[in-house]
Each structure stands twice: as C-alpha cells, then as structure tokens.
Amino acid sequence: MTPGTANLAPAGHRRRHAARTPYATRVGRWSANHPWLAITAWLCFVLASVVGGSLVGTVKATTQDSLHGELARADRIERAGAFPEAPAAESVLITARSGDLDLQRALAVAADLSARMRPLPEVAKVADPVTSPSRGAVLVEVELAGSATDADARVGSLLEATGQAQQRHPDLRVEQVGSASLGKALTETLAADFVRAELISVPVALVILLFSFGALIAAGVPVVLALSAVAGAMGLAQFASHIFPAGELVSSIILLIGMAVGVDYSLFYLRREREERAHGRDHRSAVEIAAATSGHAVLVSGVAVMVAMASLFLVGDNTFSSMATGSILVVGVAVVGSLTVLPAILVVLGRWVDRPRVPFLGRRIQRAERSRFWSLVLRPALRAPLVTFVLSVGALVLLAVPALEMNLKRPTTTDLPRSIPILNTYDRLAQAFPSNELGTSHLVAVRTGVAGGPAVEQELADLATRVKGDGRFAQDRPPTVRRSADGTVFLATIRVAGASDSSAATLSLRRLRNELLPATVGTIPDTEWAVAGRTASDADFRDRMAAALPPVVAFVFGMTFLVMLVTFRSVVVALVSILLNTISVAASYGLLVLVFQHSWAEDLLGFTSNGAVVSWLPLMLFVILFGLSMDYHVFVVSRIREAVQRGVPTRQAIERGIVSSASTVSSAAIIMVAVFCIFATLSIVEFKQLGVGLAAAILIDATIIRAVVLPSLMRLLGEANWWAPRFLAGRQRADATRDISDADTQVIPVAADR
C-alpha cells in the first residue's frame, strides 16, 4: 500500500484481525487515539508511586534478614540468651606525625580528650588510655550510648571532639575510627558517588542520543521517560520493601537497570517510528507500525528480563530477593511507559519530535538500511559463515578461559579505597593494636539445658587451652566467654591471627567447626552450638552461592527457552538465544577476572586488586546480562523474521534485518556501556566490578555476538532457523499471515504529516 491511499480491507476482515491483534499493537493504538489521557495517566501513576512510597516509607533489611544455616542458628542461640546489646565502640588513636611519639604528652592529650567526651550525651563509657606494645601509639576506647544500629547517626559529636583535639595539637595525629564513624564515612562517600553518577549519566545519554537522532526533542524523550520510570519504580520499591526488606544495593540496581532499559526501549520504538515516516507514513500510522513491531519486541524483551531477574528469588537470600524485586519493578515500569505514554507523546509532538535539529546532525535520520559500514561488517559472516563462526566463537571462548580460575571473596574493610581518610586511620590502628582490627574473631554460640551449664563452662575452658599455641588464632588476647543470666547460653569470642578473609582465618574456622567444637561442647548431651563472625559469614555465603547457581541457571535457561519459543515459534531460535547469551556472559566473566584478579587496570580504575571477584557478582551478573542481552537479540531477530515472513530469502533477510537494526542497537549499546562505565568510576570495588562486567558483556553482545556470531550461525542454519514441531508449525504460519496482513492494512491517511 502506498502513502495517500485508504484502507480498503473489508470490515469483517479488519474485525477478525483486530481480535487477534497483539497486545502491544492494541495498547499503542489506544494511546495514539487518546494521547492526552495516556500522558495524564502516566504522570498520575509516577506521582502516586513517588508520593505513596514516601508515605509508607522503606523497610531496610537487617542482618537477621540474610542469615541462613549455621549463622541463623548462632543468631537464634544468642537471642535466646537475652544478652544486652553490644554497644557501638569508637577508638581514638594518638600517634606522632613523624619520629618517635612523646608518650607522656600523648597520654596527657588522651586524658584531656577523655574528659571532654565523658559529658557528651552520646557517650556511655570512656576507657582509660592504653599504650601500644611498641609504645608508638595511645588508644582511647569509647562506648556509645543507645542502640548500635543507628550509632552512625549519633557519632558526629565524638568526631567533632576528636577534630578539635587535632586542631589543638597539630604536631600529633589525633584520629578516630570505629563501626559508627566508618559507616558514616562510607555512607557519605557512596551518596556523593551516586549523585555524581546521576549527574553524569543523564548528560552522557543525552549527548549519545543527540548523535543518534540529530534533534534535541527526539533525544530528550527517551531520557525523560527513563528518569520517570526510575522514579516510579523507586516509589513502588518502597511498597515492596514491606515484603522484601530493601538491601543496600536496591536503589543502585534500580538506577542502573532503569536508565539502561528505559532509554533502550524508547530508542527502539522511536527509531522504528522514524523509519516508517522516512518511508512515507504519517505520524499516527508510523506509531501504530512501531507498536506492532518494536513495541512487541520491547514487550518480549521486557518479559525475558523480568523472568531472568525472578530467578534470584531461588537463592533464598533477602539481598537477592530485594534486588530482584527492584529490577523487576523498574523493567516492568519501563515497558509500560514505552507501550503507553511513548506512542501518545509521539502523536502529540508530531513533526516537532525532529526539532530543533542539531547542525550537521539533523539530516542523520534513519539511514541504517543503506549503511555501507554494516554491510561490510556482515560480509564475512554471510560469505564464509563457518570460518567466521569458528573464529569469532573461538576468540570469545579464549576470553572466557580465565573465568575458570575465578576466586570469589566478599570485600572487607581492607578492600575499601584508601582515598577515604578514615581507612588510613583504620590501617594505623590495626598496625598498632592488631587484635583491635574489626571483624577478626569467631563467635561461638552454645546453648544447653540448665544442668549442662557447668559442663559447657569446662569444655569452653578446654577449647581455650586447645586454641592456645595454634598460629591460626590470635595469641595476644585469650578467648572471652559471656554467660546468660539463666546459665544456659554461652558466647565465646575467639580472635583470629590476621584479617577475616585470610587463609589462617578460614583454616581456623574449619578447625573450630570440624574438630575443636565437636570434641568439646559437642560431647555434652542436649547441647547445640554454632560459629558466626565475618569469616564464617563469608565462607557460608560462598557455599550458598555455589549451591544456588545450578537452580538459577536452570530456571533462566528454561524460562528463556519458553519465552523465545512462544515469541518466535522456533525451537532453533530459542536454543540459539541461550547459546549466544551464555557465550557473552562467559566472555565477560573472563574479562572480569583479567581486570580485577590481576593488576591490569588498577591505575586506570583506581583500585588495588585483592586477587578476587566479589562473591555475589557472578550470579548477579549472569541474571542481569542474560536478561539485558535479550533486548538486542529479540530486536534483531524480530527484524530478520519480519523479512522472512514477507518472503525474503533467509540470507537476504539476515542482512536486511541486521543492517536495518544495527544503528539502533549500536546507539542503545553505547548508552548502556556509557552508563555502566560510570559505575566503574565509583569508589567501592563492588560497583567497579559490576560496572565493568556489565559494560564488557553489553559491548561484546552488541558487536561480536550480534554482528558476527549471530549472522554466521543463522546463515549456516538457513531455513532450519525457523524449524518448529508440528503443533507450533501451524501457529507459526498463522502468525506470519497475520503479521503480514496487519502490516499491509495499516490505516494511512491521505494527508501525510511529515
């Protein structure tokens, strides 16, 4: 049908097609016909989500929400003892800036500071000053009043007193560190990081979109929609936190995923609408075609992302459950916005969507189908598909090989950037008073009957004797034991020689659990025990990740196969989707190991390698990347399938589908990579690894996978790409007939508004 002709399809034929019209097409058509109602409804939804979320507030996850196995048992035993809550403790360290410390003067400064801190309402107790064994440092330990949970909000007055003491004695180093002050410093650092990330990500996305569209309004629409989707999801996440308490990373994940998919979905839709207008369609008809094609691809890819994210619920850990909830919410909101308010905005804007045009860029409007560059890139895959496939996959497999030696570790205080001043204080404290280093002790919790108390005390004394002389345990302080008021619960603190993530700490944990405790308290009838602490938490977390990986992978593979099978009615397309995404994820794992387990990029990214990858990252990356990779795969394969359904031979359809979508995929990938790279500049190593892993995988996926591996593999498979069992083959033909008929019977008004 040519522009300017009317829709000549019989009314009954149109009604039958309308009954089978895909959901994305119906929604887009309704929004195009009721634009102001759709826009108003979207604004009300976002506003209601933000305001409602603020009113109900956020339930933040506590330590107990993420406890499992032996750690949960230790927590249950400790709570049964009704022990007073351990107060938050701060340490003030006094050392010389250079040379030897004047010990008498340092003790006088400590006494003066202690006298100034004791009257503070936030202070419960100030201990007498302690001199280090080397006599090079003086330590003042301070206990804070009130709960340790919110101590970081009340530590400010102590930090102020310490700062004043430093000003009075500039030749000495008077500095404070503790769980509360460290938490306060990290919170402030992260807040500043994310403000910077938000301020950078929006202009970067806008600039990339300006180059893509050549017009300011067209570039601004995806960014505005993405930001509104993030805002709406943030509000909904506050409601969801009452079911799955919000972990520390939820807001970061919502921002990261929301900006990426929100811009991508709008970009897919807007580029297709522009392409149709370039072919002579008017705005309303172009919007309807975009809804039937790109809108449908957005819906499918959004479902695939949400299904992949849902696999995190299988981990059974609140941290992953809250991240899954936030990701599903922001992707769902982004999909809804793309299918509803975006068509309405495009209809309202009309030709103004291409204004104001940027000089030298304004003429770059959807010329991808004639791109010589992408035709040249595709030539090897189409002319020599077997050689291209083997070489490209071989290169990606080689890149993935380093992942086989991946070492997993949960970052500790020693892994935090020393650009945060308080961490240098932490290092000096650990050097002067080794047993004061945070997180380097095992907590042994024991519960017995009333009659078993004396026996437990005796066995714990025997345990202390067995620990003595073992180099894996700290020898400068003996184990300490606390007993509950009723004499049935005991808490023994056994310090470790070195950091909580050291090999000595891990070996000492294994000896406690497997040898020492079964041979001591384990011999007492009706007695239960458990070992907690940072080392135990890290070891158990790694074990839980290893146990969770197989069911998560199986769920993602299975559900992705079903989504792609239902969408494309092809078993081969579904299997190829899983294969290519797996290769992409594996290659990103290998790159992650090369960058972070080694020291290749320490200066570039501003970190010090600890020889490991964050233990929660592989599982999280697998799920996120498998979901996000579906965006490009669904979009590209949909364009190929469109051409095949119109009778184009498979070889030509591959070239036409990839070349016509290459510009859009490239723009979307550049935006995603840019946003993820911004996260790689944040201070904390977890975010650096998350940003690098995501950016690398998306870059690999959008270039090597989609432009080289996919076309070469589809070229090798030929017509087998569309193979389906008999029960799907008939439905596949019906879908093809419907799609072609729907595209041919679009309503094209006589006056083309261009």
Side-chain angles (χ1 to χ4, degrees):
M1 224 172 169
T2 60
T5 61
N7 179 13
L8 302 178
H13 181 72
R14 291 199 301 271
R15 283 195 298 271
R16 287 194 301 273
H17 276 18
R20 298 193 303 269
T21 301
Y23 175 77
T25 307
R26 297 200 305 270
V27 172
R29 184 174 297 161
W30 182 91
S31 296
N33 291 329
H34 307 85
W36 289 110
L37 182 57
I39 293 173
T40 302
W42 175 256
L43 292 176
C44 290
F45 162 73
V46 173
L47 183 62
S49 299
V50 173
V51 174
S54 300
L55 292 176
V56 302
T58 301
V59 177
K60 294 185 178 181
T62 63
T63 303
Q64 285 74 21
D65 291 322
S66 297
L67 295 179
H68 298 269
E70 190 162 341
L71 295 177
R73 187 166 73 250
D75 179 70
R76 187 180 68 251
I77 294 173
E78 182 177 358
R79 285 188 284 109
F83 291 95
E85 181 184 5
E90 291 290 305
S91 298
V92 179
L93 184 69
I94 304 174
T95 56
R97 289 194 176 275
S98 61
D100 296 331
L101 177 68
D102 184 340
L103 189 58
Q104 294 304 317
R105 185 159 177 262
L107 289 171
V109 172
D112 176 64
L113 181 59
S114 299
R116 293 175 183 270
M117 282 190 171
R118 284 191 179 95
L120 295 176
E122 295 84 3
V123 174
K125 177 184 177 182
V126 179
D128 294 334
V130 178
T131 303
S132 68
S134 66
R135 302 180 69 81
V138 171
L139 177 67
V140 178
E141 293 186 317
V142 184
E143 288 186 4
L144 272 67
S147 173
T149 305
D150 59 350
D152 55 344
R154 293 178 283 106
V155 76
S157 60
L158 279 76
L159 291 169
E160 184 178 351
T162 302
Q164 291 172 353
Q166 176 66 86
Q167 292 176 0
R168 291 193 299 270
H169 307 282
D171 56 322
L172 295 176
R173 188 183 283 116
V174 184
E175 48 195 351
Q176 178 179 329
V177 65
S179 57
S181 55
L182 186 58
K184 178 180 174 65
L186 290 178
T187 299
E188 293 173 350
T189 300
L190 285 175
D193 277 352
F194 285 120
V195 168
R196 187 175 74 252
E198 292 171 5
L199 292 177
I200 295 175
S201 61
V202 173
V204 166
L206 189 58
V207 168
I208 295 171
L209 289 169
L210 278 175
F211 275 89
S212 178
F213 289 115
L216 184 60
I217 293 178
V221 167
V223 174
V224 172
L225 277 181
L227 289 174
S228 65
V230 169
M234 289 281 194
L236 294 178
Q238 291 181 290
F239 286 96
S241 69
H242 291 262
I243 301 175
F244 300 106
E248 296 178 355
L249 299 177
V250 172
S251 297
S252 308
I253 292 295
I254 290 177
L255 175 63
L256 189 71
I257 302 299
M259 285 300 297
V261 301
V263 171
D264 272 14
Y265 293 162
S266 299
L267 180 62
F268 293 161
Y269 208 110
L270 190 53
R271 289 297 289 265
R272 184 57 185 260
E273 187 266 352
R274 271 193 156 202
E275 180 182 333
E276 295 302 324
R277 283 193 289 114
H279 291 163
R281 309 281 187 176
D282 72 288
H283 279 284
R284 190 177 296 273
S285 299
V287 167
E288 289 197 12
I289 295 175
T293 54
S294 293
H296 182 66
V298 165
L299 179 61
V300 172
S301 63
V303 170
V305 174
M306 289 187 285
V307 165
M309 294 299 179
S311 66
L312 292 176
F313 289 112
L314 298 177
V315 179
D317 184 280
N318 181 77
T319 300
F320 286 93
S321 297
S322 63
M323 286 194 287
T325 302
S327 302
I328 291 171
L329 287 174
V330 75
V331 173
V333 172
V335 169
V336 171
S338 299
L339 297 183
T340 58
V341 72
L342 182 56
I345 290 175
L346 293 178
V347 169
V348 169
L349 289 175
R351 62 186 179 182
W352 284 98
V353 75
D354 294 329
R355 307 291 172 84
R357 294 191 176 185
V358 181
F360 308 109
L361 297 177
R363 296 182 180 276
R364 298 178 70 245
I365 301 178
Q366 203 60 36
R367 302 182 185 276
E369 65 272 15
R370 296 187 295 273
S371 171
R372 293 182 178 179
F373 172 77
W374 288 108
S375 296
L376 184 64
V377 171
L378 276 177
R379 189 173 300 168
L382 298 179
R383 291 187 176 181
L386 181 60
V387 174
T388 303
F389 179 78
V390 171
L391 291 178
S392 57
V393 172
L396 292 176
V397 170
L398 285 177
L399 183 58
V401 168
L404 297 175
E405 60 179 22
M406 182 182 290
N407 181 31
L408 300 180
K409 171 186 172 184
R410 291 177 76 182
T412 63
T413 309
T414 57
D415 300 315
L416 294 172
R418 266 44 195 173
S419 58
I420 304 175
I422 196 173
L423 291 169
N424 296 308
T425 305
Y426 173 89
D427 292 338
R428 284 187 283 268
L429 174 64
Q431 183 178 4
F433 298 90
S435 60
N436 278 67
E437 187 179 0
L438 303 178
T440 55
S441 61
H442 301 305
L443 179 66
V444 178
V446 183
R447 185 179 185 182
T448 188
V450 176
V456 170
E457 284 187 309
Q458 183 178 353
E459 293 298 338
L460 288 177
D462 182 28
L463 176 64
T465 302
R466 294 173 184 242
V467 164
K468 188 175 181 180
D470 189 329
R472 290 165 289 195
F473 298 94
Q475 301 299 314
D476 58 342
R477 290 191 182 185
T480 58
V481 179
R482 288 188 291 162
R483 185 177 65 177
S484 64
D486 62 0
T488 61
V489 178
F490 298 81
L491 299 180
T493 301
I494 304 176
R495 290 174 175 80
V496 179
S500 60
D501 61 341
S502 64
S503 58
T506 303
L507 290 173
S508 66
L509 173 68
R510 292 175 181 170
R511 188 168 184 226
L512 267 179
R513 285 180 167 176
N514 301 331
E515 300 176 26
L516 298 180
L517 287 171
T520 53
V521 297
T523 62
I524 304 174
D526 301 323
T527 299
E528 61 174 341
W529 54 267
V531 181
R534 181 58 189 255
T535 304
S537 176
D538 291 348
D540 291 355
F541 187 82
R542 287 194 299 268
D543 293 342
R544 191 159 69 253
M545 291 302 96
L549 189 59
V552 168
V553 170
F555 180 88
V556 171
F557 280 178
M559 295 306 296
T560 299
F561 179 83
L562 290 177
V563 169
M564 299 302 289
L565 183 64
V566 170
T567 301
F568 293 103
R569 309 292 175 182
S570 167
V571 173
V572 177
V573 168
L575 292 175
V576 167
S577 304
I578 294 173
L579 173 65
L580 298 189
N581 286 351
T582 302
I583 294 174
S584 177
V585 172
S588 70
Y589 280 177
L591 187 62
L592 202 63
V593 170
L594 291 175
V595 171
F596 288 99
Q597 279 192 204
H598 304 284
S599 56
W600 289 14
E602 284 185 332
D603 294 335
L604 178 63
L605 297 177
F607 74 98
T608 300
S609 175
N610 61 4
V613 172
V614 179
S615 53
W616 56 263
L617 195 60
L619 183 63
M620 192 69 190
L621 271 181
F622 170 79
V623 172
I624 294 177
L625 294 176
F626 220 89
L628 293 183
S629 296
M630 297 307 298
D631 284 356
Y632 306 135
H633 191 78
V634 170
F635 188 70
V636 172
V637 175
S638 294
R639 297 303 296 264
I640 296 173
R641 182 171 176 259
E642 279 184 52
V644 170
Q645 289 175 342
R646 294 178 183 277
V648 178
T650 296
R651 184 187 185 282
Q652 297 177 20
I654 294 170
E655 181 177 11
R656 182 179 300 181
I658 293 179
V659 170
S660 64
S661 61
S663 177
T664 304
V665 170
S666 299
S667 299
I670 291 172
I671 292 172
M672 269 199 185
V673 170
V675 171
F676 295 153
C677 283
I678 291 171
F679 270 71
T681 67
L682 301 185
S683 301
I684 310 302
V685 69
E686 291 101 314
F687 296 115
K688 289 183 182 293
Q689 294 188 6
L690 180 63
V692 169
L694 290 172
I698 294 301
L699 187 61
I700 291 170
D701 188 79
T703 55
I704 300 176
I705 295 292
R706 303 304 158 204
V708 181
V709 179
L710 175 64
S712 61
L713 181 57
M714 293 191 76
R715 178 76 175 87
L716 286 171
L717 293 172
E719 296 303 320
N721 282 292
W722 317 111
W723 179 84
R726 288 186 177 181
F727 73 92
L728 284 176
R731 180 64 180 270
Q732 185 182 42
R733 288 191 293 270
D735 287 346
T737 303
R738 182 197 67 202
D739 292 345
I740 296 172
S741 179
D742 283 348
D744 289 340
T745 59
Q746 295 291 331
V747 179
I748 311 297
V750 175
D753 182 15
R754 297 187 60 192

